[in-house]
């Protein structure tokens, strides 16, 4: 590279020198040449003078251009010299870098020798480890064979123990039957305690204040059956022991309706919907509007329609309820909104088919107005679980924890004002994930029943009876229907006892004084 620049510099210098020499010679000749004078016979001396003047001007311009080219050549020469100096500097730096690279190459060679030695040592260690792994594998195979033999023997021993336990159970059962056959036919203590509780509830409502005379009807039983062909029973009762969860549900006609010879306007439903992926309990409570002529029949139909719609949307509700950690599981808002809208449409279709409302609906929808509240509870053993509460209208979900009642749905509302029921269009759908832990009691109920539970006196009375364990079905019905001063509305609820684990539920299956 440097040699090439040196040759170019020499050539440029020679060209500039030759060009300068030529220009000096041309200038000297032009200066020495005499100006031609007018020749004899010339007719236009002025034109000739102008031509000569132009020639002189062109010569001067040629000299100026030559001088400019000379200056440009000199500039190029200086640039070439600068480039030559830069090339020399670059050469020096390149030589230094080459020396550094040589030193680094030597260092890398030394490191490569060290790495090769390290690799050889690692190979030796790997071969030794491989030998140890083969020995461990052989030992594991021997242990696996011995474990399988032990498992077979344990399975046989377990089968023998199970057969012996079954034989012992049958023997104990036969002995118990023989003992009962020989004992006198007396009622056990728990039967007497249940009868005493029923008598107290039937007389004055237990420890609650007695009913005022002005509010007391002639009897707790209707004096006349309602004439409506769609009238329902005065009271309904349901319940189940579902392992870790125990549920009791009841709906009792209020004294006000009995006094006016009207039927109960509430409804309650307990079901296990299909298609949810895992066993799930649906607790639903419906309350007909007080001024609805057919609201009670609509309430019963709403509960049945809700079960159908929950099963129709189980593909969304099931994964959300049981797989909360899944990132691709959508929220239940859209599914619940569609389900409850379809419930409202089913109520409207049923009402039109029976002639309760006109074909236009709108204002007539109040005749079949229903507030609907539901709770989906995953079954199975778990120390904590998440329930899905949802509804339209003024229904509520309460929680009993440490003998204290709190409102969990709607969130933050202790008392509910006027709300839009089904099947009125535009009824807002609310939902909330409700967590519970072992020992909690969740109650899905209507607004009048919630007011009783949130009252300091009556709420404490119910909490005392439901904190230690779940009551029997008949006791639960009597407790819900206990006579309370001024409480003349229907009472409807579904109460879920969350014991966490089925074994814990078995330990507190009934209240104290009942057989275990």
């Amino acid at each position: 590279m440097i040699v090439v620049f040196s040759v170019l510099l020499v050539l440029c210098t020679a060209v500039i020198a030759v060009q300068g020499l030529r220009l000096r010679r041309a200038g000297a000749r032009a200066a020495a040449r005499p100006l031609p004078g007018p020749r004899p016979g010339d007719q236009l001396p002025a034109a000739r003078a102008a031509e000569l003047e132009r020639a002189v001007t062109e010569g001067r311009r040629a000299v100026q251009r030559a001088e400019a080219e000379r200056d440009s050549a000199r500039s190029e020469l200086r640039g070439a010299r600068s480039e030559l100096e830069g090339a020399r500097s670059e050469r020096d730096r390149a030589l230094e870098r080459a020396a550094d690279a040589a030193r680094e190459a030597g260092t890398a060679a030394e490191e490569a020798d060290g790495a090769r030695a390290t690799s050889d040592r690692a190979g030796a260690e790997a071969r030794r480890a491989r030998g140890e792994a083969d020995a461990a594998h052989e030992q594991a195979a021997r242990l696996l064979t011995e474990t399988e033999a032990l498992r077979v023997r344990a399975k046989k021993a377990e089968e023998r123990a199970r057969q012996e336990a079954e034989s012992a159970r049958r023997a104990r059962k036969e002995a118990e039957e023989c003992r009962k056959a020989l004992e006198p036919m007396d009622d056990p203590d728990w039967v007497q305690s249940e009868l005493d509780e029923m008598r107290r509830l039937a007389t004055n409502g237990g420890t609650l204040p007695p009913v005022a005379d002005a509010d007391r009807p002639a009897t707790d039983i209707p004096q006349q059956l309602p004439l409506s062909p769609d009238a329902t029973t005065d009271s309904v009762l349901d319940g189940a022991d579902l392992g870790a969860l125990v549920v009791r549900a009841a709906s009792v006609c209020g004294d006000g309706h009995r006094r006016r010879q009207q039927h109960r306007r509430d409804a309650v439903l307990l079901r296990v919907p299909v298609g949810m992926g895992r066993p799930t309990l649906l607790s639903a409570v419906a309350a007909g509007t007080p001024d609805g002529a057919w609201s009670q029949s609509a309430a019963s139909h709403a509960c049945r329609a809700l079960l159908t719609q929950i099963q129709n949307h189980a593909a969304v509700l099931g994964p959300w309820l049981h797989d909360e950690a899944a990132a691709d599981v959508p929220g239940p808002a859209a599914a619940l909104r569609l389900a409850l809208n379809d419930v409202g449409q089913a109520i409207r279709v049923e009402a039109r088919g029976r002639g309760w409302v006109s074909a236009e609906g709108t204002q007539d929808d109040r005749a079949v107005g229903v507030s609907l509240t539901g709770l989906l509870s995953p079954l199975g053993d778990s120390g904590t679980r998440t329930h899905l509460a949802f509804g339209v209208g003024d229904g509520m979900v309460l929680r009993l924890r440490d003998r204290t009642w709190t409102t969990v749905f709607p969130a933050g509302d202790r008392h509910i004002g006027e709300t839009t029921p089904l099947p009125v269009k535009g009824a807002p759908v609310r939902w909330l994930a409700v967590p519970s832990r072992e020992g909690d009691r969740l109650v899905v109920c209507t607004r009048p029943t919630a007011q009783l539970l949130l009252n300091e006196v009556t709420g404490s009375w119910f909490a005392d009876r439901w904190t230690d364990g779940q009551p029997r079905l008949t006791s639960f019905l009597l407790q819900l229907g206990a006579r309370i001063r001024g409480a003349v509305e229907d009472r409807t609820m579904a109460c879920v006892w969350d014991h966490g684990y089925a074994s814990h539920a078995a330990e507190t299956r009934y209240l104290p004084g009942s057989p275990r």
Side-chain angles (χ1 to χ4, degrees):
M1 187 70 180
I2 297 176
V3 175
V4 173
F5 274 108
S6 301
V7 173
L8 290 176
L9 181 61
V10 171
L11 289 177
C12 290
T13 305
V15 169
I16 293 171
V18 172
Q19 187 68 20
L21 182 61
R22 287 174 57 191
L23 290 175
R24 286 195 296 272
R25 290 179 179 178
R29 285 196 300 270
R33 185 184 302 124
L35 295 174
R39 290 178 296 181
D42 287 341
Q43 300 296 326
L44 299 172
R48 181 61 179 171
E51 183 179 354
L52 291 176
E53 186 67 25
R54 285 194 300 274
V56 170
T57 303
E58 292 177 358
R60 290 175 179 173
R61 290 177 178 173
V63 171
Q64 292 175 355
R65 284 195 299 273
E67 291 176 353
E69 291 178 358
R70 181 194 63 191
D71 296 337
S72 176
R74 288 177 178 175
S75 299
E76 292 178 358
L77 177 61
R78 288 192 296 271
R81 287 177 178 174
S82 299
E83 292 179 357
L84 178 60
E85 292 297 328
R88 288 175 179 173
S89 301
E90 184 66 26
R91 180 197 62 186
D92 296 339
R93 288 193 295 271
L95 291 175
E96 293 177 359
R97 288 195 297 271
D100 294 339
R103 288 192 296 271
E104 292 178 357
T107 303
E110 293 176 358
E111 293 178 353
D113 294 338
R116 192 177 297 107
T118 303
S119 176
D120 295 339
R121 289 194 299 271
E125 293 178 358
R127 288 190 294 273
R128 185 169 59 256
R130 190 178 299 110
E132 294 176 356
D134 294 338
H137 181 71
E138 294 177 358
Q139 184 178 1
R142 290 194 301 271
L143 292 176
L144 182 62
T145 303
E146 296 175 359
T147 303
E148 187 65 26
L150 290 175
R151 185 181 295 109
V152 172
R153 289 197 297 269
K155 186 175 181 180
K156 293 180 179 178
E158 182 181 357
E159 182 65 22
R160 288 194 301 270
R162 188 187 64 80
Q163 294 176 357
E164 293 175 358
E166 183 66 21
S167 300
R169 187 188 65 81
R170 288 196 297 267
R172 284 196 301 271
K173 184 177 179 181
E174 293 175 357
E176 183 68 18
E177 291 177 353
C178 294
R179 185 183 63 80
K180 290 182 178 179
L182 296 175
E183 287 181 352
M185 299 299 293
D186 294 334
D187 291 336
D189 295 338
W190 68 268
V191 174
Q192 186 62 38
S193 64
E194 291 284 331
L195 293 176
D196 293 341
E197 176 70 11
M198 292 180 184
R199 292 190 186 98
R200 287 195 300 270
L201 293 172
T203 54
N204 61 354
T207 59
L208 294 178
V211 178
D213 294 337
D215 296 330
R216 185 186 297 276
T219 178
D220 293 344
I221 303 174
Q223 300 299 300
Q224 180 179 342
L225 291 175
L227 299 179
S228 170
D230 297 293
T232 57
T233 56
D234 179 84
S235 302
V236 294
L237 176 65
D238 199 358
D241 292 359
L242 304 173
L245 291 185
V246 178
V247 60
R248 300 287 185 262
S251 181
V252 180
C253 183
D255 289 341
H257 289 162
R258 291 189 181 120
R259 187 185 305 120
R260 294 188 295 270
Q261 298 181 0
Q262 295 178 349
H263 56 194
R264 176 173 45 87
R265 296 185 181 274
D266 293 350
V268 65
L269 178 73
L270 297 179
R271 290 293 186 274
V272 177
V274 298
M276 298 291 289
R278 298 181 186 177
T280 305
L281 171 66
L282 170 63
S283 306
V285 168
T289 56
D291 56 346
W294 309 98
S295 59
Q296 199 286 332
S297 300
S300 299
H301 188 71
C303 290
R304 295 191 297 270
L306 177 62
L307 173 63
T308 301
Q309 295 304 322
I310 291 297
Q311 295 178 153
N312 291 341
H313 296 275
V316 175
L317 298 177
W320 183 91
L321 190 63
H322 296 287
D323 301 323
E324 293 184 54
D328 56 347
V329 175
L336 292 175
R337 189 178 299 107
L338 290 175
L340 292 175
N341 287 341
D342 290 342
V343 171
Q345 184 64 24
I347 295 174
R348 188 177 291 109
V349 171
E350 181 74 9
R352 291 175 183 174
R354 296 198 177 205
W356 297 338
V357 299
S358 62
E360 292 78 9
T362 61
Q363 297 297 331
D364 293 341
D365 288 344
R366 298 293 300 183
V368 290
V370 173
S371 294
L372 182 61
T373 308
L375 183 70
L376 286 172
S377 305
L379 300 178
D381 290 346
S382 177
T384 61
R385 72 184 78 238
T386 300
H387 310 256
L388 176 59
F390 58 91
V392 173
D394 57 3
M396 303 174 68
V397 177
L398 307 182
R399 179 175 59 204
L400 175 60
R401 176 182 293 176
D402 298 330
R403 298 183 180 273
T404 302
W405 294 99
T406 56
T407 303
V408 296
F409 176 79
D413 292 340
R414 186 175 177 87
H415 298 289
I416 301 297
E418 183 66 23
T419 56
T420 304
L422 293 172
V424 178
K425 293 182 179 180
V429 177
R430 298 170 296 182
W431 69 276
L432 182 66
V434 179
S436 70
R437 67 190 187 193
E438 183 178 352
D440 285 351
R441 285 92 171 103
L442 294 180
V443 174
V444 188
C445 57
T446 57
R447 183 167 62 91
T449 308
Q451 291 174 347
L452 286 179
L453 298 179
L454 294 173
N455 181 273
E456 182 177 359
V457 176
T458 56
S460 176
W461 187 83
F462 284 108
D464 290 341
R465 281 151 179 77
W466 296 345
T467 297
D468 295 331
Q470 60 274 7
R472 295 179 178 274
L473 287 176
T474 52
S475 298
F476 181 79
L477 178 64
L478 288 172
Q479 291 164 2
L480 181 60
R483 304 292 299 280
I484 301 175
R485 181 186 294 115
V488 296
E489 300 292 335
D490 294 347
R491 302 178 200 171
T492 302
M493 72 164 62
C495 185
V496 178
W497 279 260
D498 187 352
H499 292 282
Y501 298 90
S503 58
H504 298 175
E507 295 173 359
T508 59
R509 184 163 300 280
Y510 301 109
L511 288 174
S514 299
R516 299 296 179 92

